[in-house]
Amino acid sequence: MSYRAEYIWIDGTRPSAKLRSKTKILADGAEPPIWGFDGSSTNQAEGHASDCVLKPVFSCPDPIRGGSDTLVLCEVLNTDFSPHESNTRSLLTEVAERFEDQQPIFGIEQEYTFFDGARPLGFPDRGYPAPQGGYYCGVGSDEIFGRKIVERHLDHCLAAGLGISGINAEVMPGQWEFQVGPLSPVDVADQLWVARWLLYRTAEDFGVSATLDPKPVKGDWNGAGAHTNFSTKAMREGYDAIITACEALGEGTKPLEHVSDYGAGIDTRLTGLHETAPFDQYSYGVSNRGASVRIPWQVEADQKGYIEDRRPNANVDPYVVTRRIVDTCCAALEKAGQV
Ligand code: ADP
Ligand code: MN
Ligand code: MN
Ligand code: MN
């Protein structure tokens, strides 16, 4: 007997990478081996030297095919086995290892929007639906569009054993969120990429597309973000470390460095409206959904816990946002002796 391994990788498309996958048939019990693909078709190579290498880094059951079939997330390498320039995961693994002792963990809230053709699911053929207000966490067919797909995606994530921690309907019709974590930096990012692949794949069976566009509808409609919740051991044990992390994210050129790595089109979403802070003005505050970084009220009450970086776009690369936050906050905590 044999099984099907779906090799998934992140391509070289700019400004936002896309997911790609293809199937390999393997003998029962065989570990997924190193494989390859044509990088000239994925913006990862020129035609004259187009081979790229796929190195398996994370596997889980394939909930769509079932049985012993498997999903295999890969890193992309050059043929000399050095990391390909599109490979942001290898940069994260270095930083995560350096600060492993601080035990950083992340929970990422992935917002997204379903599209039926050229319109968000639930939008009429002409004009607009009723203004936003009743859709967030709503119920009923006048408020909710796509729940069958969302529930199927949740089933698939659970069957795959991903660390998904919740789902909710969002502020705009056809807009939803799922959360992955809390998990270590590399685990949360690997599992978020696989959950994204499952989202696209699940919606495909319903003839609907899902997009991570940070501002899918212009005007008075919420954008789509990827709020990134973060803590280290010291932050989970005391408030001084929480403040150190918030201050570190605001120091010098850090705010613009971070924001420039938080997803393409971030200036269209971080306008200061729709529960965002302007992209060029850093702020943090307790319970403040208009701040760049929010300290949840419970965290202030308990004097320990985590912080929420509200700036990342839905289309952020989770390997990049986790690396940036670990790099900035863990270095500051180390310097302050709060480890
Ligand atoms: P919001 O109230 O902003 O909508 P959510 O409930 O959608 O928040 O998401 C919060 C995320 O934060 C979840 O993924 C959760 O697992 C994660 N989280 C909870 N505690 C911690 C922690 N100590 N460190 C990092 N992430 C955490
Ligand atoms: Mn949320
Ligand atoms: Mn949300
Ligand atoms: Mn949030």
Side-chain angles (χ1 to χ4, degrees):
M1 268 298 285
S2 54
Y3 75 98
R4 286 166 287 195
E6 189 71 9
Y7 277 59
I8 300 171
W9 74 97
I10 296 147
D11 79 0
T13 304
R14 296 197 179 156
S16 298
K18 287 155 55 81
L19 283 163
R20 308 272 179 154
S21 74
K22 59 176 184 164
T23 309
K24 191 173 187 59
I25 310 300
L26 294 172
D28 238 1
E31 285 292 313
I34 293 249
W35 200 18
F37 67 98
D38 169 15
S40 69
S41 299
T42 62
N43 304 306
Q44 281 163 310
E46 304 291 339
H48 57 86
S50 66
D51 283 338
C52 290
V53 173
L54 291 174
K55 178 187 144 199
V57 292
F58 172 80
S59 297
C60 63
D62 179 344
I64 293 178
R65 287 177 167 146
S68 52
D69 293 335
T70 303
L71 301 179
V72 181
L73 182 71
C74 297
E75 270 189 30
V76 176
L77 307 181
N78 301 305
T79 48
D80 64 0
F81 284 18
S82 59
H84 188 270
E85 64 167 349
S86 64
N87 181 344
T88 50
R89 186 182 189 275
S90 79
L91 300 174
L92 170 62
T93 53
E94 281 169 35
V95 172
E97 242 167 66
R98 191 173 342 134
F99 293 109
E100 205 173 20
D101 291 353
Q102 293 194 36
Q103 299 173 34
I105 56 171
F106 288 89
I108 300 181
E109 305 169 48
Q110 177 68 67
E111 294 180 341
Y112 61 92
T113 311
F114 288 130
F115 268 70
D116 182 9
R119 309 279 289 163
L121 194 64
F123 274 52
D125 288 341
R126 283 150 194 270
Y128 290 90
Q132 55 187 38
Y135 306 107
Y136 173 74
C137 297
V139 59
S141 59
D142 51 341
E143 317 262 35
I144 287 297
F145 306 92
R147 196 188 299 274
K148 268 198 187 129
I149 315 172
V150 171
E151 290 290 335
R152 185 75 58 83
H153 174 248
L154 177 59
D155 289 344
H156 286 333
C157 288
L158 292 170
L162 302 182
I164 191 162
S165 48
I167 56 172
N168 60 266
E170 270 302 334
V171 173
M172 189 180 88
Q175 198 178 50
W176 294 83
E177 170 180 315
F178 64 84
Q179 302 102 32
V180 176
L183 290 166
S184 75
V186 174
D187 287 343
V188 80
D190 282 346
Q191 294 186 31
L192 182 57
W193 275 115
V194 173
R196 284 175 176 180
W197 187 87
L198 282 170
L199 176 67
Y200 300 135
R201 181 62 192 79
T202 304
E204 184 186 312
D205 283 349
F206 289 82
V208 166
S209 64
T211 176
L212 308 184
D213 187 329
K215 193 73 181 178
V217 183
K218 311 294 164 226
D220 201 15
W221 298 94
N222 270 40
H227 297 167
T228 300
N229 301 274
F230 166 71
S231 65
T232 64
K233 185 165 183 288
M235 293 163 72
R236 293 188 291 276
E237 288 172 355
Y239 205 67
D240 288 349
I242 295 275
I243 297 302
T244 301
C246 291
E247 290 283 340
L249 288 167
E251 216 165 85
T253 54
K254 287 290 178 196
L256 280 178
E257 280 171 35
H258 275 249
V259 157
S260 68
D261 257 352
Y262 278 7
I266 199 149
D267 50 323
T268 65
R269 175 173 149 266
L270 297 186
T271 56
L273 300 172
H274 305 112
E275 304 174 89
T276 71
F279 73 93
D280 56 353
Q281 288 170 38
Y282 177 81
S283 58
Y284 71 90
V286 176
S287 287
N288 186 354
R289 284 171 199 272
S292 313
V293 171
R294 176 176 68 103
I295 301 172
W297 70 268
Q298 187 76 51
V299 172
E300 192 197 35
D302 295 346
Q303 291 289 293
K304 62 182 179 185
Y306 65 98
I307 61 172
E308 176 192 48
D309 191 337
R310 299 177 56 78
R311 296 170 294 173
N313 268 356
N315 60 356
V316 74
D317 178 346
Y319 295 129
V320 174
V321 63
T322 54
R323 168 169 55 87
R324 277 286 188 192
I325 292 177
V326 167
D327 213 5
T328 298
C329 295
C330 291
L333 287 161
E334 194 174 82
K335 203 168 148 202
Q338 293 167 331
V339 292

